[in-house]
């Protein structure tokens, strides 16, 4: 894994459609766009999702996916009061 996309948001509204969309997007990222891992955590009205990727090209293709674009528009209108996206290069990774 060379890159991570960090998505942070303050959520205005959780609903069934939001949960369904999040699950669909995670599945698409993993199965169609070469995402290696995708984790998300929600606490109160704050959400953070981190996805791991091997290439910037895969990230760009994912960003332009039609369902993802639809979710982005809906997120801006309905689900999020604000959000931030960071694409970072992983310099070192270790675990125990």
């Amino acid at each position: 894994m060379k890159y991570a996309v960090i998505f942070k948001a303050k959520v205005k509204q959780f609903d069934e459609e939001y949960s369904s969309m999040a699950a669909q997007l995670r599945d698409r990222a993993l199965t169609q766009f070469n995402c290696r891992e995708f984790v998300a955590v929600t606490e109160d009205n704050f959400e953070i999702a981190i996805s791991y990727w091997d290439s910037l090209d895969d990230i760009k293709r994912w960003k332009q996916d039609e369902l993802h674009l639809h979710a982005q528009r809906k997120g801006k209108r309905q689900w999020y009061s604000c959000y931030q996206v960071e694409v970072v290069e992983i310099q070192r990774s270790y675990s125990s």
Side-chain angles (χ1 to χ4, degrees), residues 1 37 52 90-96:
M1 292 180 267
E37 184 179 354
Y52 296 92
I90 298 171
Q91 296 294 313
R92 179 178 44 228
S93 176
Y94 54 91
S95 61
S96 64

Side-chain angles (χ1 to χ4, degrees), residues 62-74:
W62 165 239
K63 185 176 182 337
Q64 295 304 314
D65 174 67
E66 194 56 45
L67 182 63
H68 194 195
L69 290 170
H70 170 72
Q72 290 171 42
R73 290 187 295 270
K74 187 119 183 173

Side-chain angles (χ1 to χ4, degrees), residues 49-67:
I50 305 173
S51 54
Y52 296 92
W53 307 79
D54 290 328
S55 80
L56 290 173
D57 287 336
D58 288 337
I59 295 169
K60 288 175 189 173
R61 286 187 325 104
W62 165 239
K63 185 176 182 337
Q64 295 304 314
D65 174 67
E66 194 56 45
L67 182 63

Side-chain angles (χ1 to χ4, degrees), residues 23-94:
Q24 287 178 64
L25 290 173
R26 181 180 295 112
D27 183 62
R28 284 172 80 90
L30 291 165
T31 61
Q32 297 179 29
F33 293 93
N34 302 318
C35 178
R36 299 295 175 208
E37 184 179 354
F38 197 122
V39 295
V41 176
T42 302
E43 184 176 304
D44 296 324
N45 70 334
F46 182 75
E47 180 175 64
I48 185 167
I50 305 173
S51 54
Y52 296 92
W53 307 79
D54 290 328
S55 80
L56 290 173
D57 287 336
D58 288 337
I59 295 169
K60 288 175 189 173
R61 286 187 325 104
W62 165 239
K63 185 176 182 337
Q64 295 304 314
D65 174 67
E66 194 56 45
L67 182 63
H68 194 195
L69 290 170
H70 170 72
Q72 290 171 42
R73 290 187 295 270
K74 187 119 183 173
K76 290 176 187 177
R77 282 193 323 267
Q78 182 176 335
W79 293 322
Y80 303 122
S81 56
C82 63
Y83 68 91
Q84 178 181 7
V85 178
E86 299 170 314
V87 178
V88 298
E89 186 172 6
I90 298 171
Q91 296 294 313
R92 179 178 44 228
S93 176
Y94 54 91

